[in-house]
Amino acid sequence: MYINGINNLYNTAFAGTKDAKKVARTPEEHFNHFTELIFNHLYERSQREVPENGKFTPLSASYNIPNTNNRAMLSVEYDLLEPKTQRRIFAIACRKDSDKIVKSQLFKGSKSEILAYLNDNTNREKFINTAKKLSDSLDSKE
């Protein structure tokens, strides 16, 4: 059997640009840049995937913390005590290739309050500071 033109068995639709240059960032610029990206990403996903009432699959986004072996994560989950109406936002730091994890609640509220929290730029600095503290606590436990 001859099938003409089907020689690529893998989906290669996503590819980086050829002329893209790597940008050297300081750790502060790294934190600010990626925090903005994950807040925007979770805002968009929360609009679509978080219901007004009831349980849902938790949403999260993460990035590598510079000069460490840790990852910073922002998570939107339903409240275990009041899953019908309340949602929580957590800052999480976890060790790469390990089960070590530390978690801190940043905010609790309804879906509309969660969306307002994610859209507010002043909360990003709070996340950065919390992620740094959580990462430091992971490093001190070694």
Side-chain angles (χ1 to χ4, degrees), residues 4-30:
N4 188 15
I6 302 179
N7 56 4
N8 187 0
L9 301 177
Y10 302 101
N11 182 5
T12 57
F14 180 77
T17 59
K18 292 180 182 177
D19 297 331
K21 295 180 181 177
K22 291 187 177 183
V23 177
R25 292 188 174 102
T26 65
E28 288 300 318
E29 291 172 340
H30 178 88

Side-chain angles (χ1 to χ4, degrees), residues 43-63:
Y43 178 81
E44 291 171 7
R45 283 193 64 195
S46 295
Q47 282 182 318
R48 292 188 314 264
E49 299 176 33
V50 174
E52 289 290 335
N53 296 317
K55 296 181 179 180
F56 60 94
T57 303
L59 308 175
S60 64
S62 65
Y63 60 86

